[in-house]
Amino acid sequence: MPGMNRNDVETSLRLKNLQFSSRCCYGDDRSYADLVKIGTEEPPWFCNEVNVYVVFQFVSSSPNLSLTPNPTDMLKRLALQEQPEVCL
């Protein structure tokens, strides 16, 4: 899948009825990302839950940081991310 454009990835997710959220400024290289929740893990005592996401990380040659798909947004990599939620 790396090398696919963002619009094609998001269309594929929608066709599979997968909900996702889009974020800008993801990671050290300030790229774009779509996150798909795939499950939860046992939280530590100081959090209510830990969600697990598949992260679709995109790069764009456009200097415009927008959550609107751009033809230049290309899938760079896939990753798993654990995200603690509602922590003290």
Side-chain angles (χ1 to χ4, degrees):
M1 276 177 55
M4 289 180 65
N5 70 47
R6 182 177 180 187
N7 192 46
D8 289 345
V9 170
E10 290 180 349
T11 297
S12 178
L13 294 173
R14 286 185 188 101
L15 288 173
K16 295 176 181 175
N17 293 319
L18 294 172
Q19 294 182 352
F20 61 92
S21 59
S22 298
R23 296 191 183 158
C24 74
C25 312
Y26 181 84
D28 293 336
D29 56 2
R30 301 179 58 85
S31 59
Y32 306 96
D34 287 341
L35 284 73
V36 177
K37 183 178 173 182
I38 59 170
T40 58
E41 290 189 348
E42 187 69 29
W45 67 270
F46 51 87
C47 294
N48 285 350
E49 60 188 32
V50 175
N51 293 321
V52 180
Y53 297 92
V54 172
V55 179
F56 296 81
Q57 186 177 5
F58 301 91
V59 292
S60 178
S61 61
S62 170
N64 180 8
L65 288 181
S66 169
L67 292 179
T68 303
N70 184 315
T72 63
D73 296 350
M74 300 302 282
L75 184 60
K76 178 180 178 179
R77 70 182 184 108
L78 297 171
L80 288 178
Q81 176 180 323
E82 297 174 348
Q83 181 67 46
E85 307 286 348
V86 192
C87 298
L88 296 176

